[in-house]
Amino acid sequence: MDRTASGWLNGLIGVIIFSGSLPATRVAVTQFDPVFLTVARAAIAGGLALLLLLIFGQKRPARHDIFSLIVVAAGVVVGFPLLTALALQHVTSAHSVVFVGLLPLATAVFGVVRGGERPKLAFWIFAIMGSGLVCGFALVQGLNAAPVGDALMVAAIVVCGLGYAEGAKLSRTLGGWQVISWALLLSLPLMIVSAIWFKPASFSNIDAPALAGLAYVSLFSMLIGFVFWYRGLAHGGIASVGQLQLLQPFLGLTLAGTLLHETVTWTMFAVTAAVIACVAAARKFAQ
């Protein structure tokens, strides 16, 4: 398998894993405080990352890589999880996953700024069209219902796109799983202290679904998914492979409807399908 095909395969696996993140978060925040959920998932994943780094004897990152690791940690370890957890107190996971349609554009923009990529003009036209559909959906459906939730989701997408692009750039030299592992380790001391500070008074009243949600976002969303995702972005190109994120709303809507029994409207599916069509066209001009 050549490097590009490997990038797309790894990226697809990462997207499939990430598709469960918002539904799992939605379940978890019904009983966990959003701040505790954010720091707890990072602390759990950080502990596992430390074990991986020790087991495989990884060298410490170079001093000039520390800033990039801080950006990754701020974007995907703290920023995106916290902002989405707060948003999901106001909107359903079915509503929130449509905003993931903005992620490819955000990732591509930061891929240009931080990764040095230069997609063709046609790519930007189709990417902006897809993002415009998402914004239009938010204006028609979301702002009337929960403007705070929508604003938090937009902010989450911006910081996540930055974290994705920065991590992908660093993965070219440091390695995919190493990037997220070092970012988690960098934030681990603060996350452990914060988790202890914000922990619930008792876990006896926390039911199994909420615990399962915490487990999923800690193991899969925070660590395992990034192993595949950063490798995919590094091998296949940030802007190009980043377009796979447009599959995430469709998969997330399916999970929200089947597992959480949330209301999934035809409008949500129609917007998602239209955005995917735009991204399929944009992919041809990503490089």
Side-chain angles (χ1 to χ4, degrees), residues 16-273:
I16 292 172
I17 291 173
F18 290 150
S19 296
S21 298
L22 291 177
T25 301
R26 173 68 172 175
V27 173
V29 295
T30 59
Q31 296 189 329
F32 286 117
D33 176 78
V35 177
F36 172 76
L37 179 64
T38 299
V39 297
R41 66 189 279 182
I44 294 170
L48 294 174
L50 175 59
L51 289 176
L52 286 174
L53 292 170
L54 291 175
I55 290 172
F56 291 100
Q58 296 298 300
K59 295 182 180 179
R60 294 181 180 180
R63 182 171 298 179
H64 59 77
D65 291 331
I66 299 301
F67 175 76
S68 290
L69 288 171
I70 292 174
V71 172
V72 173
V76 303
V77 176
V78 179
F80 183 78
L82 178 59
L83 289 168
T84 53
L86 291 170
L88 286 165
Q89 291 188 314
H90 302 277
V91 297
T92 66
S93 63
H95 180 87
S96 66
V97 295
V98 179
F99 282 84
V100 178
L102 293 170
L103 254 180
L105 181 60
T107 304
V109 169
F110 286 116
V112 170
V113 175
R114 297 296 300 167
E117 296 190 354
R118 294 293 182 269
K120 298 177 181 177
L121 176 62
F123 166 84
W124 295 111
I125 293 173
F126 285 110
I128 291 171
M129 285 174 59
S131 297
L133 287 168
V134 175
C135 293
F137 169 82
L139 287 170
V140 173
Q141 300 286 331
L143 294 182
N144 293 329
V148 174
D150 285 355
L152 288 167
M153 281 304 305
V154 171
I157 294 303
V158 172
V159 299
C160 189
L162 174 58
Y164 280 174
E166 194 70 28
K169 183 189 73 170
L170 196 55
S171 294
R172 296 168 183 167
T173 55
L174 199 58
W177 73 268
Q178 291 92 335
V179 168
I180 189 60
S181 294
W182 285 115
L184 286 165
L185 185 60
L186 191 65
S187 60
L188 185 58
L190 178 60
M191 296 300 102
I192 291 177
V193 172
S194 300
I196 294 173
W197 181 266
F198 289 103
K199 70 179 179 65
S202 173
F203 286 88
S204 60
N205 295 324
I206 306 296
D207 59 26
L211 291 172
L214 173 60
Y216 188 91
V217 297
S218 300
L219 300 177
F220 292 94
S221 304
M222 198 81 270
L223 181 60
I224 298 174
F226 279 103
V227 173
F228 294 99
W229 183 239
Y230 277 147
R231 184 185 300 158
L233 291 175
H235 288 185
I238 299 172
S240 182
V241 174
Q243 303 310 298
L244 282 170
Q245 293 166 111
L246 266 299
L247 294 174
Q248 194 170 328
F250 176 78
L251 296 172
L253 288 173
T254 302
L255 289 173
T258 56
L259 297 182
L260 304 184
H261 307 292
E262 293 182 353
T263 300
V264 179
T265 67
W266 285 109
T267 303
M268 292 178 182
F269 275 115
V271 171
T272 301

